[in-house]
Amino acid sequence: MALAQMVLIETEVHYAASQTAKVCAQKAVVQQPQNARGVFFSIYEGGSLCENLIDGGKRGISIHSTLLEGEQLQIKAAYTLKVPVPFFSGLRFRKKTTVKRRIFSGYVKHWGEYEEAGDNQIVYVAENGVVYHKDSSCSHICLKITGSAAIQGVLHSSKYAACEKCIKKGKNPSALFVTAYGDCYHSTLGCSGLKRTIKAVKLKDVGNLRPCSRCASGR
């Protein structure tokens, strides 16, 4: 059981590092330097298993981001696992996971969804939106809210409600994410509830939607 728990911790940390690289790679050019640690801990929640198995708990995980040649962003998470078994509690294992992402490669295309020229180009449409976007990270699709005053304004707004998937009662997130057309606020870009409000379609299938003034018009 202890071994299975340690493998689970490694899997969770690697997933959070991968999602951190995905988010940071989308914005690495326009927002330097990236606060990779803040992004990581907005994704990785930890919990009791983390506190029991990682030396120092969440605080024991160090996050480092590096821009490499070839427009590559590297995220490295390092931590020490301790064995939660009597008579072996003194054992420690140093672990690290490294993830690389090409800058602006935040959206992972699926089979048969590769971009083509002209009407077959892939664009992004928000639920109930009236425009289409060339960039899935366009701020007109998803706006990041930071600063205590701005966050409190969203939390007490009648327009948005807390997402049941990523907002835990009693927790105060350091950043929020909202869409212009949604009615919920989220604590992480990786929330499945947020992803459902945006879909990838071919340009020929957008109907009467007009291009976004920020990203789809080529500005």
Side-chain angles (χ1 to χ4, degrees), residues 13-138:
V13 172
H14 179 79
Y15 172 79
S18 178
Q19 292 299 104
T20 299
K22 175 180 176 179
V23 173
C24 291
Q26 288 179 309
K27 305 179 184 297
V29 172
V30 297
Q31 187 178 340
Q32 296 283 358
Q34 280 297 316
N35 181 15
R37 182 175 175 82
V39 175
F40 178 88
F41 287 110
S42 72
I43 298 170
Y44 182 71
E45 296 182 355
S48 59
L49 196 60
C50 167
E51 297 300 320
N52 291 335
L53 297 183
I54 295 181
D55 200 7
K58 288 179 66 173
R59 294 186 299 275
I61 304 175
S62 61
I63 306 296
H64 301 281
S65 63
T66 307
L67 285 175
L68 307 175
E69 293 184 2
E71 296 186 339
Q72 293 278 328
L73 176 70
Q74 176 179 280
I75 300 295
K76 182 183 293 185
Y79 55 99
T80 300
L81 280 177
K82 51 187 179 181
V83 180
V85 178
F87 308 111
F88 295 96
S89 58
L91 289 179
R92 297 288 189 274
F93 299 95
R94 189 63 178 167
K95 294 289 184 177
K96 68 177 181 180
T97 183
T98 303
V99 180
K100 295 179 182 179
R101 283 273 188 174
R102 185 174 178 83
I103 292 175
F104 287 118
S105 65
Y107 183 78
V108 179
K109 295 180 177 61
H110 300 283
W111 178 260
E113 193 181 289
Y114 295 95
E115 286 191 10
E116 301 178 27
D119 289 345
N120 286 322
Q121 178 183 355
I122 296 298
V123 295
Y124 306 94
V125 179
E127 185 179 28
N128 302 321
V130 295
V131 299
Y132 66 84
H133 307 263
K134 285 185 177 179
D135 185 355
S136 63
S137 63
C138 177

